[in-house]
């Protein structure tokens, strides 16, 4: 008993509703993906790059100390120690930038552990080694390297590696979350399209049947 006009109106309303739903799902998916990419870049990718730079400079400090130990020219030793101090300065700046983006308790804990290990590496290993090399006290420098510098460096290296692993794991979790959301939106979009197609055919057949009468 429904008039053709009513059926057409229902068809138009339903079609518009399906377009709104499908478009809304797409917009939600795009927004979520954009936010996830920003999160991966700002919180993880930048962090990984900074931590890798810190790790590299920390390693360069150790290499420079060992290289300077092989020198006999005081000028070359002094030049090498200046490079070590430059690495220390750059690491401090990188750590400051990284710490400004620390948000989570676990991340903060790992950072504090690394900073403590780095301070121990510097105070008990690097700075005394600089003094000994500049004094050309190579015997004491060798003893310090074996007993203090190398163990302290290993602990600091473990600390920075733990921070890098944390960032990689968090980036992977963010990727998994976005993948799940994308699959859900994909399924909803297909469902909306199929439902719209089926109901459009049904309503179209009903209208055609009414017109034929």
């Amino acid at each position: 008993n429904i008039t053709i006009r009513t059926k057409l109106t229902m068809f138009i309303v339903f079609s518009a509703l399906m377009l709104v739903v499908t478009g809304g799902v797409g917009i939600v998916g795009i927004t979520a993906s954009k936010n996830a990419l920003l999160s991966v870049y700002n919180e993880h990718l930048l962090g990984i790059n900074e931590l890798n730079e810190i790790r590299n400079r920390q390693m360069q400090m150790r290499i420079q100390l060992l290289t300077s130990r092989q020198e006999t020219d005081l000028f070359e030793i002094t030049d090498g120690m200046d490079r070590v101090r430059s690495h220390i300065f750059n690491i401090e700046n990188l750590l400051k930038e990284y710490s400004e983006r620390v948000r989570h308790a676990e991340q903060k804990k790992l950072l504090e552990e690394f900073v403590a290990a780095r301070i121990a590496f510097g105070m008990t290993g690097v700075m005394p080694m600089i003094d000994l090399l500049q004094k050309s006290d190579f015997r004491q420098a060798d003893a310090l390297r074996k007993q203090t510098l190398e163990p302290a460096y290993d602990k600091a290296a473990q600390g920075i590696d733990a921070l890098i692993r944390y960032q990689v794991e968090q980036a992977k979790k963010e990727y998994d979350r976005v993948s799940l959301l994308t699959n859900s939106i994909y399924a909803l979009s297909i469902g909306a399209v199929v439902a719209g197609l089926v109901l459009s055919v049904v309503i179209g057949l009903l209208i055609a049947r009414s017109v034929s009468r």
Side-chain angles (χ1 to χ4, degrees):
N1 297 326
I2 302 176
T3 63
I4 295 177
R5 181 177 180 180
T6 302
K7 292 178 180 179
L8 285 172
T9 301
M10 291 173 58
F11 177 74
I12 293 171
V13 170
F14 175 77
S15 298
L17 182 61
M18 286 296 99
L19 287 173
V20 171
V21 170
T22 304
V25 169
I27 292 173
V28 169
I30 292 171
T31 302
S33 298
K34 179 182 177 181
N35 292 336
L37 289 174
L38 286 174
S39 175
V40 168
Y41 178 74
N42 292 328
E43 295 187 19
H44 304 304
L45 184 58
L46 284 180
I48 290 172
N49 288 338
E50 288 170 348
L51 292 172
N52 276 322
E53 180 68 14
I54 291 171
R55 186 177 187 276
N56 179 61
R57 287 188 176 277
Q58 193 168 266
M59 181 175 60
Q60 290 299 320
M61 286 170 55
R62 174 177 173 271
I63 293 173
Q64 186 61 61
L65 288 170
L66 297 179
T67 301
S68 296
R69 165 60 185 88
Q70 306 304 317
E71 297 288 348
T72 55
D73 187 337
L74 184 58
F75 176 80
E76 293 295 334
I77 292 175
T78 302
D79 181 64
M81 297 308 96
D82 289 340
R83 295 180 187 179
V84 170
R85 293 188 182 95
S86 176
H87 287 311
I88 293 173
F89 176 77
N90 283 289
I91 288 175
E92 289 175 352
N93 288 335
L94 288 167
L95 275 175
K96 182 179 179 181
E97 293 178 6
Y98 178 80
S99 62
E100 290 175 353
R101 294 194 303 277
V102 172
R103 299 288 183 270
H104 307 290
E106 182 181 357
Q107 185 182 13
K108 184 178 180 180
K109 179 175 178 291
L110 291 172
L111 178 60
E112 290 173 348
E113 291 175 352
F114 166 67
V115 170
R118 175 178 175 269
I119 291 174
F121 172 55
M123 298 300 293
T124 65
V126 175
M127 300 311 295
M129 178 66 79
I130 290 175
D131 291 338
L132 292 172
L133 290 176
Q134 288 180 332
K135 294 176 182 177
S136 298
D137 191 346
F138 299 126
R139 184 177 63 83
Q140 289 294 331
D142 290 339
L144 179 69
R145 178 182 64 81
K146 294 177 182 179
Q147 298 172 8
T148 306
L149 181 68
E150 293 295 344
Y153 171 80
D154 290 340
K155 190 170 183 180
Q158 291 172 5
I160 195 69
D161 288 344
L163 276 169
I164 294 173
R165 281 196 303 271
Y166 172 84
Q167 290 289 352
V168 173
E169 289 170 359
Q170 293 304 309
K172 177 65 166 56
K173 288 180 181 178
E174 192 69 20
Y175 171 78
D176 292 340
R177 184 184 70 82
V178 174
S179 295
L180 179 61
L181 178 61
T182 301
N183 291 335
S184 299
I185 293 173
Y186 183 69
L188 286 173
S189 298
I190 291 178
V193 170
V194 171
L197 180 61
V198 171
L199 291 176
S200 296
V201 170
V202 170
I203 294 175
L205 290 174
L206 290 175
I207 292 174
R209 183 179 178 184
S210 298
V211 171
S212 63
R213 288 181 179 179

